[in-house]
């Protein structure tokens, strides 16, 4: 990337340590390469940081672990009881997973993801009914699924909107931003000027919300917002 800037900018990007270089327009390739080569120890150090963060984010669904819900961090507590599993919010900083004695990682994860999905469904029901009215469009359906690189998608022909399950970890204003974004795709397919002006009309501060949404994403390589 070449931009009208004075200095060479080097960034190591999560999750796999790809390098992004922004250089002054008139800087020669050789000079860029030489400069980068002097920064190799720093690049290696940043990459090591990412791989240790990756280990920390591996989920075990055990007591003491941190998990996010609607933009807030909670401490997980696992309780074993011979009843059907459930997840509850306790106080203002605890998520309690109740599972049967001996429940393995997959069962604990299943309980948590099931709860995440139900919670997001409730939130989306509210947001979709609000914004369908305001914008005056109606998708054929909307559903939740796990996606690797997108917060939401809107089928061109099907008019079916898919929302990423990961959104449940984000603040509600971010979930609302994605809802509006996808609904507007029913009017304008492309991210063109028309789309941007519609976005600004319905959510004047959408740019800040978008930045908030994409802050500190380490688990995915590329997000299209
Ligand atoms: Zn879009």
């Amino acid at each position: 990337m070449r931009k009208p800037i004075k200095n060479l900018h080097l960034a190591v990007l999560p999750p796999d340590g790809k390098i992004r270089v922004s250089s002054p327009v008139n800087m020669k390739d050789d000079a860029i390469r030489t400069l980068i080569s002097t920064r190799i120890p720093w690049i290696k150090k940043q990459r090591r940081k990412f791989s240790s963060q990756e280990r920390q984010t591996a989920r075990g669904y055990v007591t003491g672990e941190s998990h996010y819900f609607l933009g807030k961090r909670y401490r997980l507590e696992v309780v074993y009881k011979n009843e059907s599993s459930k997840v509850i919010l306790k106080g203002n900083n605890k998520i309690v997973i109740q599972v049967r004695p001996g429940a393995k990682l997959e069962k604990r994860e299943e309980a948590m993801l099931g709860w995440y999905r139900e919670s997001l469904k409730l939130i989306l029901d509210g947001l979709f009914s609000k914004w369908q009215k305001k914008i005056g469009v109606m998708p054929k359906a909307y559903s939740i699924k796990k996606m690797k690189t997108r917060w939401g998608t809107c089928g061109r022909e099907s008019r079916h909107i898919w929302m990423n399950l990961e959104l449940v970890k984000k603040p509600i204003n971010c979930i609302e931003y994605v809802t509006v974004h996808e609904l507007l795709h029913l009017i304008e397919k492309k991210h063109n000027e028309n789309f941007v002006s519609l976005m600004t009309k319905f959510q004047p501060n959408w740019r800040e919300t978008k930045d908030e949404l994409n802050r500190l994403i380490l688990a995915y390589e590329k997000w299209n917002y």
Side-chain angles (χ1 to χ4, degrees):
M1 199 189 318
R2 281 170 198 250
K3 296 193 252 179
I5 48 172
K6 287 219 182 78
N7 303 304
L8 186 86
H9 296 257
L10 193 58
V12 181
L13 304 174
D16 53 0
K18 262 192 198 135
I19 297 166
R20 185 185 63 208
V21 181
S22 312
S23 69
V25 180
N26 57 3
M27 197 168 183
K28 295 232 168 39
D29 282 351
D30 283 353
I32 295 171
R33 242 174 257 131
T34 307
L35 269 166
I36 292 172
S37 68
T38 66
R39 302 295 292 146
I40 283 174
W42 177 81
I43 292 167
K44 283 190 174 160
K45 193 176 154 202
Q46 302 309 311
R47 285 182 170 166
R48 273 198 300 277
K49 259 198 225 160
F50 289 140
S51 55
S52 68
Q53 271 163 352
E54 196 91 66
R55 275 198 294 280
Q56 277 167 29
T57 57
R59 315 272 68 181
Y61 300 93
V62 291
T63 295
E65 225 170 47
S66 288
H67 285 261
Y68 282 82
F69 179 61
L70 301 184
K72 209 177 151 243
R73 197 166 87 170
Y74 289 83
R75 187 179 184 273
L76 198 69
E77 189 183 317
V78 182
V79 175
Y80 294 92
K81 214 171 178 185
N82 214 352
E83 286 172 13
S84 47
S85 64
K86 62 178 177 186
V87 176
I88 41 172
L89 284 178
K90 193 172 156 191
N92 58 4
N93 62 356
K94 237 184 223 178
I95 295 175
V96 180
I97 300 186
Q98 185 192 296
V99 281
R100 290 187 191 278
K104 294 204 165 58
L105 168 66
E106 299 83 70
K107 285 285 169 201
R108 300 195 301 267
E109 181 175 42
E110 194 184 291
M112 184 74 174
L113 296 186
W115 177 72
Y116 266 159
R117 196 175 275 270
E118 279 166 31
S119 307
L120 184 58
K121 173 80 170 57
L122 283 176
I123 290 157
L124 292 179
D125 285 347
L127 290 175
F128 270 89
S129 95
K130 172 183 169 185
W131 286 99
Q132 277 166 192
K133 270 187 228 122
K134 282 199 179 205
I135 301 171
V137 286
M138 188 92 131
K140 199 160 181 206
Y142 57 90
S143 327
I144 298 165
K145 68 172 175 181
K146 279 179 153 185
M147 285 182 266
K148 278 243 187 284
T149 60
R150 284 164 179 272
W151 291 117
T153 63
C154 179
R156 274 167 194 267
E157 305 301 326
S158 66
R159 296 173 68 83
H160 191 132
I161 292 175
W162 293 94
M163 301 288 279
N164 195 332
L165 180 60
E166 287 288 306
L167 283 168
V168 77
K169 298 173 185 171
K170 296 291 178 179
I172 198 111
N173 61 313
C174 293
I175 306 175
E176 187 158 31
Y177 157 70
V178 178
T179 305
V180 174
H181 181 114
E182 295 309 333
L183 281 171
L184 288 178
H185 273 316
L186 295 172
I187 302 173
E188 177 58 68
K189 311 265 189 216
K190 291 185 177 146
H191 295 143
N192 54 18
E193 258 175 57
N194 185 35
F195 186 87
V196 170
S197 75
L198 284 167
M199 205 59 227
T200 306
K201 178 182 164 195
F202 290 106
Q203 280 204 313
N205 60 345
W206 66 271
R207 282 191 177 83
E208 288 94 86
T209 314
K210 177 184 159 182
D211 286 347
E212 191 182 351
L213 176 65
N214 289 321
R215 209 172 290 149
L216 282 177
I217 291 168
L218 291 169
Y220 303 104
E221 188 166 15
K222 185 172 146 254
W223 289 82
N224 295 317
Y225 279 81

